[in-house]
Amino acid sequence: MRIGITDSGVGGLSVCAEVEARLRQSPAGEDIEIIYLNAAIEDDYSYNSMPDRQTKLQTFDRFLVSVREKYQPDLLFIACNTLSVLFQDSYFDHHRHIPIEGIVGSGTREMLAAFAHDSDVSFIIFATPTTIEEGVYSKALREHGVPASRVIEQACPGLPDAISNDGSGLLASQLLRKYVPAALEQFDSTPSNVVAFLGCTHYGYQADQFKKSLQAFVPNAQVLNPNRGAVNTIFSRFQTEPGHGSITVEFITRYAIPDVVIKSLSAYIGEMAPKTLSALKGFTHLPGLCGKL
């Protein structure tokens, strides 16, 4: 079985690593081929850098067509909140005949489960500008009974790059000293019980920094990292008996991954997913991955 996992950059590699780790712990009865597909155009030009929504839609559409033609995955998982949000647009209806899942669905389910467990909780959705602009998460929470006054959205421009380029967490913590207070100031009064939803796959690498920053202001602060829930969604899409199937991982990207990013992600991934780490270090450079620009 061939599983494609995509993100605009390297944040979704954490999902790839979790899939590998689970398969290493409980091998499947069939061979599993994991292909990580970097949907970003350049290292310094992601979807959040594009001038308008139409450009984002057209660029991602070309990428999906290219992936389908080149790799024909049995399942493509969009491990990117920005792209998962965009994929809900009717612009992509011509792709819906093939199995494609997005992280927005699994992330929403996890937040609603947290609300069902504690109806007094308040939410802060930390995400990229595009995800915040689309408002998908906040709308879903309101539609399921979460009071609008207890849902805050905070865009965090620059944070994904800070995380990718600095495995120590120093750059991320510096930005969070700005973004966490800015989010809390949007509440009428500072809540005592907060769930911080990490609405960008990069953020999961620095989940501890989010928690530390929040606990300086909020007595009961929890961090909800949807990346692990995304893995549950991936496994729910295929049924296989336990066995001795092999695992292969390949990382494919339109641009060469900078050494500093490889170094940072190596520290994040560690020993949990050696094949994912090896794929990152030996990435396949494919300039035509995103189709004709």
PDB file of all heavy atoms in Angstrom, residues 5-11 13 35-43 45-47 60 63 67 83 202 250-258 261 283-284 286 289-290:
ATOM      1  N   ILE A   5       1.829  11.491   2.083  1.00  0.00           N
ATOM      2  CA  ILE A   5       1.614  12.488   3.136  1.00  0.00           C
ATOM      3  C   ILE A   5       2.201  13.787   2.628  1.00  0.00           C
ATOM      4  O   ILE A   5       3.363  13.832   2.197  1.00  0.00           O
ATOM      5  CB  ILE A   5       2.283  12.078   4.465  1.00  0.00           C
ATOM      6  CG1 ILE A   5       1.686  10.768   4.975  1.00  0.00           C
ATOM      7  CG2 ILE A   5       2.129  13.183   5.509  1.00  0.00           C
ATOM      8  CD1 ILE A   5       2.376  10.211   6.216  1.00  0.00           C
ATOM      9  N   THR A   6       1.411  14.852   2.656  1.00  0.00           N
ATOM     10  CA  THR A   6       1.893  16.114   2.103  1.00  0.00           C
ATOM     11  C   THR A   6       1.705  17.267   3.064  1.00  0.00           C
ATOM     12  O   THR A   6       0.819  17.251   3.918  1.00  0.00           O
ATOM     13  CB  THR A   6       1.191  16.428   0.763  1.00  0.00           C
ATOM     14  OG1 THR A   6       1.813  17.564   0.165  1.00  0.00           O
ATOM     15  CG2 THR A   6      -0.296  16.718   0.959  1.00  0.00           C
ATOM     16  N   ASP A   7       2.572  18.246   2.913  1.00  0.00           N
ATOM     17  CA  ASP A   7       2.497  19.480   3.685  1.00  0.00           C
ATOM     18  C   ASP A   7       3.216  20.557   2.882  1.00  0.00           C
ATOM     19  O   ASP A   7       4.016  20.253   1.991  1.00  0.00           O
ATOM     20  CB  ASP A   7       3.175  19.303   5.051  1.00  0.00           C
ATOM     21  CG  ASP A   7       2.818  20.406   6.048  1.00  0.00           C
ATOM     22  OD1 ASP A   7       2.217  21.418   5.636  1.00  0.00           O
ATOM     23  OD2 ASP A   7       3.136  20.259   7.239  1.00  0.00           O
ATOM     24  N   SER A   8       2.924  21.808   3.213  1.00  0.00           N
ATOM     25  CA  SER A   8       3.638  22.920   2.604  1.00  0.00           C
ATOM     26  C   SER A   8       4.888  23.176   3.431  1.00  0.00           C
ATOM     27  O   SER A   8       4.918  24.024   4.310  1.00  0.00           O
ATOM     28  CB  SER A   8       2.758  24.178   2.562  1.00  0.00           C
ATOM     29  OG  SER A   8       3.482  25.272   2.046  1.00  0.00           O
ATOM     30  N   GLY A   9       5.905  22.380   3.193  1.00  0.00           N
ATOM     31  CA  GLY A   9       7.112  22.448   3.993  1.00  0.00           C
ATOM     32  C   GLY A   9       7.371  21.119   4.677  1.00  0.00           C
ATOM     33  O   GLY A   9       6.984  20.057   4.177  1.00  0.00           O
ATOM     34  N   VAL A  10       7.977  21.177   5.845  1.00  0.00           N
ATOM     35  CA  VAL A  10       8.425  19.953   6.515  1.00  0.00           C
ATOM     36  C   VAL A  10       7.674  19.651   7.810  1.00  0.00           C
ATOM     37  O   VAL A  10       7.990  18.680   8.491  1.00  0.00           O
ATOM     38  CB  VAL A  10       9.946  20.030   6.806  1.00  0.00           C
ATOM     39  CG1 VAL A  10      10.735  20.075   5.511  1.00  0.00           C
ATOM     40  CG2 VAL A  10      10.266  21.250   7.679  1.00  0.00           C
ATOM     41  N   GLY A  11       6.683  20.469   8.161  1.00  0.00           N
ATOM     42  CA  GLY A  11       5.958  20.231   9.405  1.00  0.00           C
ATOM     43  C   GLY A  11       5.296  18.869   9.457  1.00  0.00           C
ATOM     44  O   GLY A  11       5.334  18.178  10.474  1.00  0.00           O
ATOM     45  N   LEU A  13       6.188  16.202   8.371  1.00  0.00           N
ATOM     46  CA  LEU A  13       7.095  15.072   8.525  1.00  0.00           C
ATOM     47  C   LEU A  13       6.910  14.425   9.901  1.00  0.00           C
ATOM     48  O   LEU A  13       7.214  13.247  10.082  1.00  0.00           O
ATOM     49  CB  LEU A  13       8.541  15.523   8.344  1.00  0.00           C
ATOM     50  CG  LEU A  13       9.534  14.435   7.937  1.00  0.00           C
ATOM     51  CD1 LEU A  13       9.184  13.879   6.567  1.00  0.00           C
ATOM     52  CD2 LEU A  13      10.961  14.976   7.935  1.00  0.00           C
ATOM     53  N   ILE A  35       5.294   7.950   1.150  1.00  0.00           N
ATOM     54  CA  ILE A  35       5.951   8.986   0.351  1.00  0.00           C
ATOM     55  C   ILE A  35       5.587  10.341   0.940  1.00  0.00           C
ATOM     56  O   ILE A  35       4.411  10.712   0.974  1.00  0.00           O
ATOM     57  CB  ILE A  35       5.517   8.940  -1.131  1.00  0.00           C
ATOM     58  CG1 ILE A  35       5.746   7.549  -1.715  1.00  0.00           C
ATOM     59  CG2 ILE A  35       6.282   9.984  -1.934  1.00  0.00           C
ATOM     60  CD1 ILE A  35       5.280   7.420  -3.148  1.00  0.00           C
ATOM     61  N   TYR A  36       6.582  11.053   1.431  1.00  0.00           N
ATOM     62  CA  TYR A  36       6.345  12.409   1.927  1.00  0.00           C
ATOM     63  C   TYR A  36       6.569  13.379   0.779  1.00  0.00           C
ATOM     64  O   TYR A  36       7.644  13.397   0.160  1.00  0.00           O
ATOM     65  CB  TYR A  36       7.275  12.748   3.087  1.00  0.00           C
ATOM     66  CG  TYR A  36       6.941  14.091   3.697  1.00  0.00           C
ATOM     67  CD1 TYR A  36       5.916  14.206   4.628  1.00  0.00           C
ATOM     68  CD2 TYR A  36       7.611  15.241   3.304  1.00  0.00           C
ATOM     69  CE1 TYR A  36       5.570  15.433   5.161  1.00  0.00           C
ATOM     70  CE2 TYR A  36       7.278  16.479   3.831  1.00  0.00           C
ATOM     71  CZ  TYR A  36       6.256  16.570   4.764  1.00  0.00           C
ATOM     72  OH  TYR A  36       5.905  17.795   5.289  1.00  0.00           O
ATOM     73  N   LEU A  37       5.557  14.183   0.492  1.00  0.00           N
ATOM     74  CA  LEU A  37       5.572  15.063  -0.671  1.00  0.00           C
ATOM     75  C   LEU A  37       5.487  16.516  -0.212  1.00  0.00           C
ATOM     76  O   LEU A  37       4.454  16.963   0.306  1.00  0.00           O
ATOM     77  CB  LEU A  37       4.385  14.725  -1.582  1.00  0.00           C
ATOM     78  CG  LEU A  37       4.391  13.278  -2.105  1.00  0.00           C
ATOM     79  CD1 LEU A  37       2.976  12.741  -2.253  1.00  0.00           C
ATOM     80  CD2 LEU A  37       5.133  13.203  -3.427  1.00  0.00           C
ATOM     81  N   ASN A  38       6.568  17.236  -0.380  1.00  0.00           N
ATOM     82  CA  ASN A  38       6.621  18.633   0.028  1.00  0.00           C
ATOM     83  C   ASN A  38       5.931  19.494  -1.025  1.00  0.00           C
ATOM     84  O   ASN A  38       6.404  19.622  -2.148  1.00  0.00           O
ATOM     85  CB  ASN A  38       8.080  19.060   0.199  1.00  0.00           C
ATOM     86  CG  ASN A  38       8.224  20.489   0.678  1.00  0.00           C
ATOM     87  OD1 ASN A  38       7.242  21.185   0.907  1.00  0.00           O
ATOM     88  ND2 ASN A  38       9.464  20.932   0.826  1.00  0.00           N
ATOM     89  N   ALA A  39       4.804  20.103  -0.644  1.00  0.00           N
ATOM     90  CA  ALA A  39       4.003  20.873  -1.599  1.00  0.00           C
ATOM     91  C   ALA A  39       4.451  22.324  -1.735  1.00  0.00           C
ATOM     92  O   ALA A  39       3.893  23.068  -2.549  1.00  0.00           O
ATOM     93  CB  ALA A  39       2.527  20.838  -1.191  1.00  0.00           C
ATOM     94  N   ALA A  40       5.421  22.748  -0.938  1.00  0.00           N
ATOM     95  CA  ALA A  40       5.889  24.131  -1.026  1.00  0.00           C
ATOM     96  C   ALA A  40       6.658  24.355  -2.325  1.00  0.00           C
ATOM     97  O   ALA A  40       7.343  23.461  -2.825  1.00  0.00           O
ATOM     98  CB  ALA A  40       6.776  24.469   0.171  1.00  0.00           C
ATOM     99  N   ILE A  41       6.558  25.566  -2.845  1.00  0.00           N
ATOM    100  CA  ILE A  41       7.218  25.908  -4.101  1.00  0.00           C
ATOM    101  C   ILE A  41       8.711  26.137  -3.893  1.00  0.00           C
ATOM    102  O   ILE A  41       9.553  25.640  -4.638  1.00  0.00           O
ATOM    103  CB  ILE A  41       6.584  27.166  -4.724  1.00  0.00           C
ATOM    104  CG1 ILE A  41       5.081  26.933  -4.962  1.00  0.00           C
ATOM    105  CG2 ILE A  41       7.265  27.522  -6.038  1.00  0.00           C
ATOM    106  CD1 ILE A  41       4.776  25.761  -5.846  1.00  0.00           C
ATOM    107  N   GLU A  42       9.048  26.898  -2.879  1.00  0.00           N
ATOM    108  CA  GLU A  42      10.432  27.175  -2.526  1.00  0.00           C
ATOM    109  C   GLU A  42      10.551  27.190  -1.009  1.00  0.00           C
ATOM    110  O   GLU A  42       9.541  27.275  -0.302  1.00  0.00           O
ATOM    111  CB  GLU A  42      10.896  28.537  -3.092  1.00  0.00           C
ATOM    112  CG  GLU A  42      10.832  28.671  -4.609  1.00  0.00           C
ATOM    113  CD  GLU A  42      11.855  27.799  -5.333  1.00  0.00           C
ATOM    114  OE1 GLU A  42      12.767  27.266  -4.652  1.00  0.00           O
ATOM    115  OE2 GLU A  42      11.742  27.653  -6.555  1.00  0.00           O
ATOM    116  N   ASP A  43      11.770  27.154  -0.520  1.00  0.00           N
ATOM    117  CA  ASP A  43      11.983  27.174   0.920  1.00  0.00           C
ATOM    118  C   ASP A  43      11.416  28.449   1.546  1.00  0.00           C
ATOM    119  O   ASP A  43      10.887  28.432   2.654  1.00  0.00           O
ATOM    120  CB  ASP A  43      13.483  27.065   1.222  1.00  0.00           C
ATOM    121  CG  ASP A  43      13.772  27.097   2.704  1.00  0.00           C
ATOM    122  OD1 ASP A  43      13.047  26.427   3.460  1.00  0.00           O
ATOM    123  OD2 ASP A  43      14.727  27.785   3.114  1.00  0.00           O
ATOM    124  N   TYR A  45       9.048  30.404   0.037  1.00  0.00           N
ATOM    125  CA  TYR A  45       7.814  30.819  -0.640  1.00  0.00           C
ATOM    126  C   TYR A  45       6.767  29.718  -0.458  1.00  0.00           C
ATOM    127  O   TYR A  45       6.612  28.836  -1.289  1.00  0.00           O
ATOM    128  CB  TYR A  45       8.070  31.072  -2.120  1.00  0.00           C
ATOM    129  CG  TYR A  45       6.866  31.648  -2.866  1.00  0.00           C
ATOM    130  CD1 TYR A  45       6.323  32.866  -2.490  1.00  0.00           C
ATOM    131  CD2 TYR A  45       6.297  30.968  -3.930  1.00  0.00           C
ATOM    132  CE1 TYR A  45       5.230  33.401  -3.159  1.00  0.00           C
ATOM    133  CE2 TYR A  45       5.204  31.492  -4.618  1.00  0.00           C
ATOM    134  CZ  TYR A  45       4.674  32.710  -4.229  1.00  0.00           C
ATOM    135  OH  TYR A  45       3.598  33.224  -4.890  1.00  0.00           O
ATOM    136  N   SER A  46       6.056  29.797   0.652  1.00  0.00           N
ATOM    137  CA  SER A  46       5.015  28.828   0.953  1.00  0.00           C
ATOM    138  C   SER A  46       3.659  29.386   0.530  1.00  0.00           C
ATOM    139  O   SER A  46       3.561  30.500   0.001  1.00  0.00           O
ATOM    140  CB  SER A  46       5.005  28.516   2.452  1.00  0.00           C
ATOM    141  OG  SER A  46       4.603  29.668   3.176  1.00  0.00           O
ATOM    142  N   TYR A  47       2.610  28.649   0.800  1.00  0.00           N
ATOM    143  CA  TYR A  47       1.271  29.087   0.409  1.00  0.00           C
ATOM    144  C   TYR A  47       0.850  30.348   1.163  1.00  0.00           C
ATOM    145  O   TYR A  47       0.114  31.184   0.641  1.00  0.00           O
ATOM    146  CB  TYR A  47       0.259  27.955   0.617  1.00  0.00           C
ATOM    147  CG  TYR A  47       0.398  26.873  -0.428  1.00  0.00           C
ATOM    148  CD1 TYR A  47       1.439  25.944  -0.352  1.00  0.00           C
ATOM    149  CD2 TYR A  47      -0.461  26.796  -1.515  1.00  0.00           C
ATOM    150  CE1 TYR A  47       1.612  24.960  -1.321  1.00  0.00           C
ATOM    151  CE2 TYR A  47      -0.313  25.814  -2.488  1.00  0.00           C
ATOM    152  CZ  TYR A  47       0.738  24.906  -2.387  1.00  0.00           C
ATOM    153  OH  TYR A  47       0.894  23.950  -3.353  1.00  0.00           O
ATOM    154  N   PHE A  60      -1.997  24.588  -5.566  1.00  0.00           N
ATOM    155  CA  PHE A  60      -2.204  23.297  -4.922  1.00  0.00           C
ATOM    156  C   PHE A  60      -2.874  22.313  -5.872  1.00  0.00           C
ATOM    157  O   PHE A  60      -2.589  21.112  -5.850  1.00  0.00           O
ATOM    158  CB  PHE A  60      -3.038  23.464  -3.650  1.00  0.00           C
ATOM    159  CG  PHE A  60      -3.101  22.223  -2.797  1.00  0.00           C
ATOM    160  CD1 PHE A  60      -1.970  21.452  -2.575  1.00  0.00           C
ATOM    161  CD2 PHE A  60      -4.297  21.825  -2.210  1.00  0.00           C
ATOM    162  CE1 PHE A  60      -2.027  20.302  -1.785  1.00  0.00           C
ATOM    163  CE2 PHE A  60      -4.356  20.684  -1.420  1.00  0.00           C
ATOM    164  CZ  PHE A  60      -3.218  19.923  -1.210  1.00  0.00           C
ATOM    165  N   PHE A  63      -0.264  20.822  -8.012  1.00  0.00           N
ATOM    166  CA  PHE A  63       0.502  19.866  -7.210  1.00  0.00           C
ATOM    167  C   PHE A  63      -0.244  18.537  -7.115  1.00  0.00           C
ATOM    168  O   PHE A  63       0.336  17.465  -7.323  1.00  0.00           O
ATOM    169  CB  PHE A  63       0.748  20.441  -5.816  1.00  0.00           C
ATOM    170  CG  PHE A  63       1.314  19.454  -4.839  1.00  0.00           C
ATOM    171  CD1 PHE A  63       2.660  19.138  -4.841  1.00  0.00           C
ATOM    172  CD2 PHE A  63       0.486  18.830  -3.916  1.00  0.00           C
ATOM    173  CE1 PHE A  63       3.176  18.217  -3.932  1.00  0.00           C
ATOM    174  CE2 PHE A  63       0.988  17.921  -3.012  1.00  0.00           C
ATOM    175  CZ  PHE A  63       2.339  17.606  -3.019  1.00  0.00           C
ATOM    176  N   VAL A  67       1.019  14.890  -8.390  1.00  0.00           N
ATOM    177  CA  VAL A  67       1.179  13.760  -7.467  1.00  0.00           C
ATOM    178  C   VAL A  67       0.383  12.552  -7.951  1.00  0.00           C
ATOM    179  O   VAL A  67       0.873  11.415  -7.925  1.00  0.00           O
ATOM    180  CB  VAL A  67       0.742  14.170  -6.042  1.00  0.00           C
ATOM    181  CG1 VAL A  67       0.551  12.939  -5.151  1.00  0.00           C
ATOM    182  CG2 VAL A  67       1.762  15.115  -5.435  1.00  0.00           C
ATOM    183  N   LEU A  83      -3.369  23.804   3.728  1.00  0.00           N
ATOM    184  CA  LEU A  83      -3.810  23.106   2.517  1.00  0.00           C
ATOM    185  C   LEU A  83      -5.078  22.306   2.758  1.00  0.00           C
ATOM    186  O   LEU A  83      -5.923  22.182   1.862  1.00  0.00           O
ATOM    187  CB  LEU A  83      -2.685  22.198   2.011  1.00  0.00           C
ATOM    188  CG  LEU A  83      -1.404  22.905   1.586  1.00  0.00           C
ATOM    189  CD1 LEU A  83      -0.369  21.893   1.096  1.00  0.00           C
ATOM    190  CD2 LEU A  83      -1.676  23.949   0.512  1.00  0.00           C
ATOM    191  N   HIS A 202       3.930  22.245  12.014  1.00  0.00           N
ATOM    192  CA  HIS A 202       5.234  22.625  12.559  1.00  0.00           C
ATOM    193  C   HIS A 202       5.165  22.814  14.072  1.00  0.00           C
ATOM    194  O   HIS A 202       6.137  22.530  14.784  1.00  0.00           O
ATOM    195  CB  HIS A 202       5.728  23.943  11.940  1.00  0.00           C
ATOM    196  CG  HIS A 202       6.194  23.833  10.530  1.00  0.00           C
ATOM    197  ND1 HIS A 202       5.325  23.797   9.464  1.00  0.00           N
ATOM    198  CD2 HIS A 202       7.445  23.773   9.998  1.00  0.00           C
ATOM    199  CE1 HIS A 202       6.021  23.720   8.339  1.00  0.00           C
ATOM    200  NE2 HIS A 202       7.300  23.699   8.633  1.00  0.00           N
ATOM    201  N   GLU A 250      10.095   7.634   1.581  1.00  0.00           N
ATOM    202  CA  GLU A 250      10.795   8.505   0.641  1.00  0.00           C
ATOM    203  C   GLU A 250      10.327   9.936   0.838  1.00  0.00           C
ATOM    204  O   GLU A 250       9.146  10.180   1.103  1.00  0.00           O
ATOM    205  CB  GLU A 250      10.543   8.061  -0.810  1.00  0.00           C
ATOM    206  CG  GLU A 250      11.358   8.833  -1.838  1.00  0.00           C
ATOM    207  CD  GLU A 250      11.168   8.305  -3.258  1.00  0.00           C
ATOM    208  OE1 GLU A 250      10.319   7.409  -3.448  1.00  0.00           O
ATOM    209  OE2 GLU A 250      11.865   8.792  -4.171  1.00  0.00           O
ATOM    210  N   PHE A 251      11.239  10.877   0.742  1.00  0.00           N
ATOM    211  CA  PHE A 251      10.940  12.300   0.885  1.00  0.00           C
ATOM    212  C   PHE A 251      11.195  12.954  -0.463  1.00  0.00           C
ATOM    213  O   PHE A 251      12.313  12.907  -0.982  1.00  0.00           O
ATOM    214  CB  PHE A 251      11.847  12.905   1.961  1.00  0.00           C
ATOM    215  CG  PHE A 251      11.567  14.351   2.296  1.00  0.00           C
ATOM    216  CD1 PHE A 251      11.092  14.700   3.542  1.00  0.00           C
ATOM    217  CD2 PHE A 251      11.800  15.355   1.372  1.00  0.00           C
ATOM    218  CE1 PHE A 251      10.852  16.025   3.871  1.00  0.00           C
ATOM    219  CE2 PHE A 251      11.552  16.686   1.683  1.00  0.00           C
ATOM    220  CZ  PHE A 251      11.085  17.026   2.940  1.00  0.00           C
ATOM    221  N   ILE A 252      10.166  13.588  -1.033  1.00  0.00           N
ATOM    222  CA  ILE A 252      10.284  14.198  -2.360  1.00  0.00           C
ATOM    223  C   ILE A 252       9.949  15.680  -2.256  1.00  0.00           C
ATOM    224  O   ILE A 252       8.940  16.067  -1.657  1.00  0.00           O
ATOM    225  CB  ILE A 252       9.348  13.500  -3.361  1.00  0.00           C
ATOM    226  CG1 ILE A 252       9.688  11.999  -3.431  1.00  0.00           C
ATOM    227  CG2 ILE A 252       9.482  14.121  -4.748  1.00  0.00           C
ATOM    228  CD1 ILE A 252       8.709  11.178  -4.206  1.00  0.00           C
ATOM    229  N   THR A 253      10.779  16.506  -2.854  1.00  0.00           N
ATOM    230  CA  THR A 253      10.623  17.952  -2.713  1.00  0.00           C
ATOM    231  C   THR A 253      11.037  18.674  -3.988  1.00  0.00           C
ATOM    232  O   THR A 253      11.931  18.212  -4.713  1.00  0.00           O
ATOM    233  CB  THR A 253      11.457  18.468  -1.523  1.00  0.00           C
ATOM    234  OG1 THR A 253      11.386  19.900  -1.448  1.00  0.00           O
ATOM    235  CG2 THR A 253      12.921  18.045  -1.651  1.00  0.00           C
ATOM    236  N   ARG A 254      10.392  19.798  -4.269  1.00  0.00           N
ATOM    237  CA  ARG A 254      10.713  20.583  -5.460  1.00  0.00           C
ATOM    238  C   ARG A 254      12.037  21.333  -5.288  1.00  0.00           C
ATOM    239  O   ARG A 254      12.738  21.603  -6.255  1.00  0.00           O
ATOM    240  CB  ARG A 254       9.583  21.574  -5.745  1.00  0.00           C
ATOM    241  CG  ARG A 254       9.796  22.405  -7.012  1.00  0.00           C
ATOM    242  CD  ARG A 254       8.639  23.349  -7.264  1.00  0.00           C
ATOM    243  NE  ARG A 254       8.830  24.068  -8.501  1.00  0.00           N
ATOM    244  CZ  ARG A 254       9.518  25.210  -8.626  1.00  0.00           C
ATOM    245  NH1 ARG A 254      10.065  25.741  -7.556  1.00  0.00           N
ATOM    246  NH2 ARG A 254       9.655  25.809  -9.790  1.00  0.00           N
ATOM    247  N   TYR A 255      12.365  21.688  -4.059  1.00  0.00           N
ATOM    248  CA  TYR A 255      13.599  22.432  -3.811  1.00  0.00           C
ATOM    249  C   TYR A 255      14.487  21.654  -2.836  1.00  0.00           C
ATOM    250  O   TYR A 255      14.011  20.779  -2.106  1.00  0.00           O
ATOM    251  CB  TYR A 255      13.298  23.821  -3.231  1.00  0.00           C
ATOM    252  CG  TYR A 255      12.569  23.799  -1.900  1.00  0.00           C
ATOM    253  CD1 TYR A 255      13.273  23.713  -0.687  1.00  0.00           C
ATOM    254  CD2 TYR A 255      11.180  23.862  -1.845  1.00  0.00           C
ATOM    255  CE1 TYR A 255      12.611  23.688   0.525  1.00  0.00           C
ATOM    256  CE2 TYR A 255      10.511  23.831  -0.641  1.00  0.00           C
ATOM    257  CZ  TYR A 255      11.232  23.749   0.548  1.00  0.00           C
ATOM    258  OH  TYR A 255      10.573  23.714   1.750  1.00  0.00           O
ATOM    259  N   ALA A 256      15.754  21.951  -2.826  1.00  0.00           N
ATOM    260  CA  ALA A 256      16.691  21.284  -1.922  1.00  0.00           C
ATOM    261  C   ALA A 256      16.449  21.752  -0.493  1.00  0.00           C
ATOM    262  O   ALA A 256      16.372  22.958  -0.223  1.00  0.00           O
ATOM    263  CB  ALA A 256      18.130  21.582  -2.340  1.00  0.00           C
ATOM    264  N   ILE A 257      16.307  20.806   0.421  1.00  0.00           N
ATOM    265  CA  ILE A 257      16.070  21.144   1.814  1.00  0.00           C
ATOM    266  C   ILE A 257      17.374  21.674   2.422  1.00  0.00           C
ATOM    267  O   ILE A 257      18.404  21.008   2.369  1.00  0.00           O
ATOM    268  CB  ILE A 257      15.588  19.910   2.614  1.00  0.00           C
ATOM    269  CG1 ILE A 257      14.343  19.306   1.954  1.00  0.00           C
ATOM    270  CG2 ILE A 257      15.309  20.286   4.055  1.00  0.00           C
ATOM    271  CD1 ILE A 257      13.153  20.230   1.869  1.00  0.00           C
ATOM    272  N   PRO A 258      17.342  22.868   3.020  1.00  0.00           N
ATOM    273  CA  PRO A 258      18.577  23.443   3.590  1.00  0.00           C
ATOM    274  C   PRO A 258      19.140  22.580   4.722  1.00  0.00           C
ATOM    275  O   PRO A 258      18.394  21.924   5.456  1.00  0.00           O
ATOM    276  CB  PRO A 258      18.104  24.805   4.131  1.00  0.00           C
ATOM    277  CG  PRO A 258      16.861  25.115   3.354  1.00  0.00           C
ATOM    278  CD  PRO A 258      16.206  23.797   3.096  1.00  0.00           C
ATOM    279  N   VAL A 261      17.686  23.087   8.230  1.00  0.00           N
ATOM    280  CA  VAL A 261      16.381  22.457   8.463  1.00  0.00           C
ATOM    281  C   VAL A 261      16.559  20.966   8.756  1.00  0.00           C
ATOM    282  O   VAL A 261      15.924  20.416   9.664  1.00  0.00           O
ATOM    283  CB  VAL A 261      15.454  22.669   7.249  1.00  0.00           C
ATOM    284  CG1 VAL A 261      14.151  21.878   7.415  1.00  0.00           C
ATOM    285  CG2 VAL A 261      15.155  24.152   7.069  1.00  0.00           C
ATOM    286  N   PHE A 283      16.837  13.209   0.751  1.00  0.00           N
ATOM    287  CA  PHE A 283      15.642  13.612   0.004  1.00  0.00           C
ATOM    288  C   PHE A 283      15.846  13.534  -1.503  1.00  0.00           C
ATOM    289  O   PHE A 283      16.957  13.690  -2.016  1.00  0.00           O
ATOM    290  CB  PHE A 283      15.221  15.032   0.400  1.00  0.00           C
ATOM    291  CG  PHE A 283      16.232  16.101   0.074  1.00  0.00           C
ATOM    292  CD1 PHE A 283      16.292  16.683  -1.190  1.00  0.00           C
ATOM    293  CD2 PHE A 283      17.128  16.543   1.039  1.00  0.00           C
ATOM    294  CE1 PHE A 283      17.220  17.663  -1.496  1.00  0.00           C
ATOM    295  CE2 PHE A 283      18.072  17.529   0.755  1.00  0.00           C
ATOM    296  CZ  PHE A 283      18.114  18.082  -0.516  1.00  0.00           C
ATOM    297  N   THR A 284      14.734  13.284  -2.207  1.00  0.00           N
ATOM    298  CA  THR A 284      14.733  13.285  -3.673  1.00  0.00           C
ATOM    299  C   THR A 284      14.368  14.678  -4.160  1.00  0.00           C
ATOM    300  O   THR A 284      13.277  15.181  -3.858  1.00  0.00           O
ATOM    301  CB  THR A 284      13.718  12.254  -4.216  1.00  0.00           C
ATOM    302  OG1 THR A 284      14.087  10.947  -3.782  1.00  0.00           O
ATOM    303  CG2 THR A 284      13.680  12.292  -5.737  1.00  0.00           C
ATOM    304  N   LEU A 286      13.102  16.944  -6.835  1.00  0.00           N
ATOM    305  CA  LEU A 286      12.329  16.818  -8.075  1.00  0.00           C
ATOM    306  C   LEU A 286      11.712  18.174  -8.425  1.00  0.00           C
ATOM    307  O   LEU A 286      10.611  18.504  -7.967  1.00  0.00           O
ATOM    308  CB  LEU A 286      11.237  15.757  -7.899  1.00  0.00           C
ATOM    309  CG  LEU A 286      10.429  15.405  -9.151  1.00  0.00           C
ATOM    310  CD1 LEU A 286      11.311  14.779 -10.222  1.00  0.00           C
ATOM    311  CD2 LEU A 286       9.291  14.444  -8.766  1.00  0.00           C
ATOM    312  N   LEU A 289       7.919  18.533  -9.312  1.00  0.00           N
ATOM    313  CA  LEU A 289       6.918  17.945  -8.437  1.00  0.00           C
ATOM    314  C   LEU A 289       5.613  18.718  -8.410  1.00  0.00           C
ATOM    315  O   LEU A 289       4.529  18.138  -8.380  1.00  0.00           O
ATOM    316  CB  LEU A 289       7.478  17.854  -7.003  1.00  0.00           C
ATOM    317  CG  LEU A 289       6.511  17.362  -5.922  1.00  0.00           C
ATOM    318  CD1 LEU A 289       6.024  15.945  -6.231  1.00  0.00           C
ATOM    319  CD2 LEU A 289       7.148  17.426  -4.542  1.00  0.00           C
ATOM    320  N   CYS A 290       5.694  20.028  -8.441  1.00  0.00           N
ATOM    321  CA  CYS A 290       4.488  20.868  -8.301  1.00  0.00           C
ATOM    322  C   CYS A 290       3.841  21.210  -9.635  1.00  0.00           C
ATOM    323  O   CYS A 290       3.004  22.129  -9.706  1.00  0.00           O
ATOM    324  CB  CYS A 290       4.816  22.133  -7.529  1.00  0.00           C
ATOM    325  SG  CYS A 290       5.398  21.820  -5.854  1.00  0.00           S
TER     326      CYS A 290
END
